[in-house]
């Protein structure tokens, strides 16, 4: 089946006229374009990857690298990659893909709908028949729900279809678009313990002041359920990430050297992005008994300063 006929099939089954259109994007990757009264968005079936969210009359809330790959075997750089079932490198298996296999897999559409307020919801699925790994040979099903409206709401359900308890890490690895990361103030993590991944995962405790980004920053904040607010003075807005079902928040900016080292990221793009990731990892990996479902949700919105 050609990419465009696959897009046509999706369109006839899940499209909503004037609101939701399926098409073949770069390198034939299938994507959905959403236009609602409140906002626009874009999602790829590759990785169930939201790459764009823009409230009406505003500039985009999500950052997408101009150098991102759009390749069926590589992750997209920017938007919201889905990290599952391990975060970062897999201990003991250097050949395993960083951040797991969910962001590299082709997800299946499940449903689309438009609500009375005009917001649009999409749901996608992934199971062990679609994607798996020798290091994580479990029977599972992921369901991802995206709601595009005056907020971007994303929810990841993990169901254990097996007969044994499973353990996994996960994250909604959100790339926020900021005007100048050197000027932002991040609040919501005061007094929280974190693993400093720029210093051998040393454990530290965040002070009372809002966080400033002054160098490469890669921190896994532990045991936190709080909402994070990114105050972006140069962009004259605040970005708010609210969450549930998540005990970890990751804050990441690659700064200069790491940006230079990443082949799918521009050398000068680092000031315009900041990852505020909603997750469960390290001390807070999820343990899920057979037949049970775990749900992690993030609601992302922009707000006036
Ligand atoms: O979430 C932060 C992090 O784990 C960093 O260590 C950095 O590597 C980033 O993810 C991006 O990872 P990626 O595999 O997408 O290059």
């Amino acid at each position: 089946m050609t990419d465009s006929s696959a897009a046509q099939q999706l369109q006839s089954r899940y499209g909503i006229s004037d609101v939701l259109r399926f098409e073949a994007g770069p390198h034939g990757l299938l994507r959905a374009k959403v236009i609602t009264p409140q906002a626009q968005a874009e999602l790829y079936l590759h990785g169930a990857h939201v790459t764009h969210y823009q409230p009406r009359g505003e500039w985009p809330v999500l950052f997408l690298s101009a150098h991102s790959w759009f390749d069926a075997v590589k992750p997209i750089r920017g938007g919201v990659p889905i990290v599952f079932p391990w975060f970062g490198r897999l201990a003991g298996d250097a050949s395993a893909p960083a951040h797991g296999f969910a962001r590299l897999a082709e997800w299946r559409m499940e449903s689309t709908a438009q609500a009375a307020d005009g917001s649009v919801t999409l749901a996608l699925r992934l199971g062990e028949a679609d994607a798996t790994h020798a290091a994580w040979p479990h029977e599972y099903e992921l369901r991802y729900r995206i709601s595009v409206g005056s907020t971007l709401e994303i929810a990841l359900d993990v169901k254990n279809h097996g007969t044994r308890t499973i353990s996994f890490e996960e994250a909604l690895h959100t790339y926020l678009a900021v005007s100048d990361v050197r000027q932002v103030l991040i609040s919501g993590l005061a007094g929280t313990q974190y693993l400093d991944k720029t210093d051998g995962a040393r454990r530290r405790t965040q002070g009372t002041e809002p966080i400033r980004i002054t160098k490469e920053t890669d921190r896994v904040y532990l045991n936190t359920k709080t909402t994070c607010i990114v105050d972006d003075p140069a962009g004259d807005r605040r970005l708010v990430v609210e969450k549930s079902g998540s005990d970890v928040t990751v804050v990441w900016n690659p700064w200069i050297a790491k940006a230079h080292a990443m082949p799918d990221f521009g050398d000068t793009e680092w000031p315009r992005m900041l990852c505020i990731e909603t997750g469960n990892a390290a001390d807070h990996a999820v343990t899920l008994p057979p037949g049970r479902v775990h749900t992690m949700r993030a609601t992302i919105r922009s707000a006036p300063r």
Side-chain angles (χ1 to χ4, degrees):
M1 189 187 309
T2 65
D3 303 322
S4 56
S5 57
Q8 275 163 15
Q9 261 195 6
L10 286 171
Q11 181 61 27
S12 59
R13 191 153 175 212
Y14 300 108
I16 305 173
S17 60
D18 302 329
V19 169
L20 172 55
R21 193 180 75 243
F22 288 86
E23 59 183 27
H27 302 126
L29 294 186
L30 297 169
R31 66 183 178 195
K33 287 197 174 246
V34 181
I35 302 176
T36 76
Q38 304 96 340
Q40 295 187 3
E42 196 173 87
L43 164 97
Y44 284 79
L45 274 64
H46 175 66
H49 204 126
V50 178
T51 52
H52 179 63
Y53 171 66
Q54 183 170 8
R56 193 165 287 274
E58 288 199 38
W59 47 292
V61 164
L62 300 178
F63 165 88
L64 178 65
S65 172
H67 300 256
S68 176
W69 294 309
F70 285 93
D71 183 319
V73 295
K74 293 183 177 165
I76 294 171
R77 177 66 69 191
V80 186
I82 297 174
V83 172
F84 178 89
W86 55 83
F87 185 87
R89 286 270 149 217
L90 181 60
D93 187 346
S95 70
H99 288 327
F101 50 73
R103 64 175 178 168
L104 302 173
E106 186 79 358
W107 291 56
R108 290 171 277 121
M109 284 305 304
E110 177 199 277
S111 65
T112 59
Q114 184 171 30
D117 68 355
S119 63
V120 165
T121 302
L122 305 95
L124 298 92
R125 285 186 183 267
L126 188 78
E128 74 276 0
D130 308 302
T132 188
H133 192 276
W136 203 83
H138 300 297
E139 294 167 63
Y140 74 93
E141 187 152 36
L142 303 184
R143 188 161 176 261
Y144 192 46
R145 289 162 288 145
I146 305 112
S147 178
V148 179
S150 53
T151 66
L152 175 67
E153 201 169 313
I154 45 184
L156 182 66
D157 301 330
V158 180
K159 178 153 188 180
N160 178 357
H161 276 300
T163 55
R164 289 177 298 153
T165 293
I166 60 175
S167 173
F168 59 88
E169 298 178 307
E170 57 181 356
L172 301 170
H173 193 302
T174 306
Y175 287 72
L176 296 175
V178 295
S179 224
D180 184 350
V181 77
R182 291 160 289 197
Q183 296 184 37
V184 305
L185 295 173
I186 307 160
S187 52
L189 296 165
T192 307
Q193 194 180 55
Y194 64 92
L195 304 175
D196 185 348
K197 288 178 68 181
T198 67
D199 187 13
R202 183 188 296 264
R203 281 175 193 257
R204 300 181 189 282
T205 302
Q206 187 62 48
T208 53
E209 296 302 305
I211 302 166
R212 282 183 182 278
I213 305 294
T214 59
K215 57 184 176 178
E216 180 189 353
T217 302
D218 192 353
R219 300 175 182 175
V220 180
Y221 286 88
L222 304 167
N223 200 21
T224 172
K225 298 182 191 313
T226 56
T227 296
C228 275
I229 299 177
V230 176
D231 183 21
D232 180 11
D236 194 28
R237 67 178 182 181
R238 294 179 304 149
L239 296 173
V240 182
V241 182
E242 217 171 315
K243 63 176 192 166
S244 64
S246 159
D247 292 323
V248 158
T249 295
V250 180
V251 176
W252 180 57
N253 182 276
W255 211 247
I256 300 165
K258 182 113 188 213
H260 190 69
M262 291 193 290
D264 59 338
F265 190 85
D267 291 355
T268 59
E269 288 185 319
W270 60 271
R272 288 185 278 108
M273 54 71 65
L274 174 69
C275 286
I276 300 286
E277 308 165 31
T278 301
N280 289 299
D283 310 10
H284 301 279
V286 177
T287 300
L288 193 62
R292 302 286 290 277
V293 177
H294 178 274
T295 299
M296 177 173 71
R297 178 180 282 112
T299 303
I300 302 160
R301 63 188 167 87
S302 74
R305 290 190 77 233

